[in-house]
Amino acid sequence: MAPSMQNKIFQGVIFGISGLISFAFVVVLCKWCHMYHARRRRAQQNSGKDYQTYQVTQPIPGKFSDKQLYGSGQCVQPGIGGDVELARELRDGTLDFEYTLEPNVPLGKVQLSILYEIEVRKLNVLLLQAKGVVCQTQRNSANLYAKVLLTKDTEGTKLTSDRCTKIQRMIPEPQFHEEFSFCVNEREIGYATIQVCLYEIDAFSKSHALGQVCIDMKDVDITQRMTGWFDLYEEEEEKRPTSGDLLLSLNYFPTAGRLTVVIMRARDLKIEHKTGAWGVFVKVVFLYNHKRVSKKKTVVVRKTENPIYNEAFVFKVPKEAMAYSSFKILVVNRTSYGRDEALGDITIGPQEYKDGLLHWNKMLMELRKPVAMWHPIIMN
C-alpha cells in the first residue's frame, strides 16, 4: 500500500475519534446545562414561600376529626416567614444552651413496712401507698403498678424474681396495701437491698419508669418492724449505646400553628468509615400517628466529628394535632463509596420517654421561645 494511502487512512481515524469525543462533550455539556436551569427554576418557584405544605389524609381522632393536619419539611433561611428573632438568636449564638433536669430530686414518696421473721427466714415487704407521683404521659389514659425485688448491694444481681402489684388507674396518691414475702437466710439478709420501682403504662401499653426506692438491709434493724416514707429517685436503667450527642432547638407558635426545629450541632460522633470524602448530615422526619408525613435533611458537613449546621425546618402543625405529632431525627454518615451509614436516631414527641418527652413538654411550657437541648444519639 502506498504511503499516501496510509496517511489518508490514519488521518481519517484521527478525525473520527476527535469527532466522537467532541460529540460526547457536547452531550454532557447540554445535560449539565439542562439540570442547572431546572434546578434554578425550582428554586425560583419555591423562593416565594417559607414552607411546603403536605396534607394528611387521616382525620385527627376525637372532636377534631373533621380537620386536617398540615406539615412541612422545607428548610428555610432564618428570617423568612416571620422568624426574625430566630435569625438573630442563631447569629448571636444565644440558642446554644443546655437544658437538663436537676440531679437527685425526689420524684415522689412511697410508704413501706418491712419485717424479717428470723424463725422462718422470711422477709415481708408491705407496700402501703405512694404520694406525689407525677404522670409522664396522658393521665386520663395511664395506669400504674409497682415492682418489688431483692438484689445484692455489692453486685446488683437479683436474689429473687420480680413481684408486681395489681395494675390500677394513675392517680397522684395510689393505694396498694399489698405484701410480698421473700425467703432469705440470715447470712444473705445483711447484703440484700430492697428495690421498689413504680411504672406507668401509657395508652400504647408501654411501661415508663417513674422512680425507684433502694433500701439496704444492713441499715435496717431486722429485730423489729420498720414502717416509713421513702423518696423515689430516677431508676438507673441499662444504658443504651450511643454514637454522640446532637444539639437541637424546638419552638412552637400556637396561634400560627408553626413548629420550628433547628438542627444546631453535633459532638463526639463515633464514625467507623472515614475513608474518602465522608461527611455527616441530619435527617428530620415529621410523623403523625406514627406515620411519616414529610422529611428533610441538612447539608453534608465533610470530615469532622463535631459538625455545625444551624439549619431551621418549619412544620405547620395545628394545636389540636400536637398530641398526635412527633419527630424522628436521624444522623447519617455519607461515605465515599455511595452507601449511607446510620449513626443513630433521636425521637421527640408526647408519646416518647425521658429526653424526648422532656424536651417536648419544655417546648409547650415555653411557647414562642426556642428551647435547646442536647440529645444522645441512640445507636440502632
Side-chain angles (χ1 to χ4, degrees):
M1 183 179 296
S4 58
M5 183 61 68
Q6 292 180 354
N7 293 336
K8 291 181 179 180
I9 295 175
F10 180 74
Q11 292 177 358
V13 172
I14 294 298
F15 289 150
I17 294 176
S18 302
L20 290 176
I21 294 176
S22 302
F23 179 74
F25 176 77
V26 171
V27 170
V28 171
L29 182 62
C30 294
K31 182 67 175 178
W32 183 85
C33 293
H34 175 72
M35 295 175 61
Y36 175 76
H37 288 292
R39 190 181 298 112
R40 288 197 60 182
R41 284 195 299 269
R42 288 195 299 268
Q44 291 175 358
Q45 291 174 359
N46 297 331
S47 61
K49 52 186 179 181
D50 59 344
Y51 51 79
Q52 296 176 350
T53 302
Y54 301 84
Q55 181 172 351
V56 178
T57 57
Q58 301 95 336
I60 299 175
K63 63 180 180 180
F64 302 106
S65 58
D66 57 337
K67 297 185 179 182
Q68 300 290 332
L69 169 70
Y70 295 87
S72 69
Q74 178 65 32
C75 176
V76 301
Q77 295 293 332
I80 298 180
D83 288 333
V84 180
E85 182 179 357
L86 175 64
R88 185 179 64 254
E89 292 176 343
L90 276 173
R91 184 182 64 252
D92 299 339
T94 56
L95 274 175
D96 189 6
F97 66 92
E98 182 176 0
Y99 178 82
T100 56
L101 282 175
E102 293 295 331
N104 301 324
V105 175
L107 305 175
K109 294 178 179 292
V110 295
Q111 187 181 26
L112 299 174
S113 180
I114 304 172
L115 174 64
Y116 182 69
E117 301 181 30
I118 301 178
E119 296 80 6
V120 294
R121 298 178 179 179
K122 185 171 64 174
L123 177 65
N124 300 315
V125 180
L126 175 60
L127 178 57
L128 295 171
Q129 59 182 329
K131 66 179 181 180
V133 180
V134 180
C135 179
Q136 293 189 1
T137 60
Q138 299 180 2
R139 184 179 297 276
N140 57 357
S141 61
N143 294 319
L144 176 74
Y145 74 95
K147 181 173 66 175
V148 182
L149 70 153
L150 288 183
T151 61
K152 285 186 179 181
D153 57 355
T154 57
E155 302 176 2
T157 57
K158 293 183 180 180
L159 292 176
T160 61
S161 59
D162 300 345
R163 313 288 177 84
C164 298
T165 64
K166 296 179 181 179
I167 299 176
Q168 57 177 286
R169 299 294 298 176
M170 168 61 72
I171 55 176
E173 298 183 358
Q175 305 292 321
F176 296 100
H177 297 283
E178 296 187 36
E179 188 174 31
F180 303 90
S181 299
F182 305 93
C183 294
V184 186
N185 57 44
E186 298 180 15
R187 186 176 63 257
E188 293 180 340
I189 192 65
Y191 301 97
T193 299
I194 301 175
Q195 286 190 7
V196 180
C197 307
L198 259 62
Y199 292 94
E200 173 188 347
I201 304 177
D202 60 16
F204 301 95
S205 300
K206 182 179 179 181
S207 296
H208 305 276
L210 298 178
Q212 72 172 1
V213 173
C214 296
I215 304 173
D216 293 334
M217 290 304 299
K218 63 183 179 182
D219 301 330
V220 178
D221 185 5
I222 62 175
T223 61
Q224 57 184 352
R225 177 180 290 274
M226 183 191 71
T227 303
W229 288 92
F230 301 89
D231 291 334
L232 283 167
Y233 291 93
E234 185 175 358
E235 181 179 1
E236 295 182 0
E237 299 180 343
E238 181 181 358
K239 293 185 178 181
R240 299 177 61 183
T242 62
S243 59
D245 300 305
L246 181 68
L247 179 63
L248 57 93
S249 171
L250 300 178
N251 187 10
Y252 184 61
F253 287 80
T255 53
R258 186 173 75 247
L259 197 156
T260 304
V261 180
V262 182
I263 306 298
M264 303 177 69
R265 65 180 62 182
R267 66 183 180 188
D268 302 331
L269 296 180
K270 299 177 182 178
I271 304 173
E272 295 182 1
H273 302 90
K274 298 181 180 180
T275 58
W278 61 275
V280 181
F281 67 93
V282 181
K283 184 186 298 184
V284 181
V285 181
F286 175 51
L287 304 173
Y288 170 69
N289 272 346
H290 302 284
K291 295 183 179 179
R292 189 180 72 181
V293 177
S294 62
K295 64 178 180 178
K296 203 65 182 177
K297 61 182 180 181
T298 66
V299 297
V300 179
V301 180
R302 300 287 182 184
K303 297 185 177 182
T304 177
E305 297 177 352
N306 301 279
I308 299 177
Y309 299 99
N310 284 337
E311 295 191 38
F313 301 90
V314 175
F315 300 86
K316 189 176 181 183
V317 187
K319 291 186 292 184
E320 59 270 16
M322 289 292 289
Y324 310 98
S325 303
S326 60
F327 290 93
K328 187 170 185 179
I329 316 295
L330 299 98
V331 182
V332 185
N333 177 29
R334 175 156 293 175
T335 58
S336 58
Y337 50 85
R339 183 180 178 182
D340 292 343
E341 174 190 4
L343 301 180
D345 59 70
I346 299 165
T347 53
I348 301 174
Q351 307 297 339
E352 301 306 324
Y353 182 47
K354 285 190 177 296
D355 293 339
L357 178 63
L358 173 64
H359 200 177
W360 186 269
N361 291 339
K362 183 66 175 176
M363 174 195 67
L364 296 180
M365 293 170 58
E366 303 288 342
L367 294 176
R368 301 176 182 87
K369 296 180 180 179
V371 179
M373 181 175 174
W374 284 102
H375 290 264
I377 303 170
I378 305 300
M379 299 176 62
N380 296 326

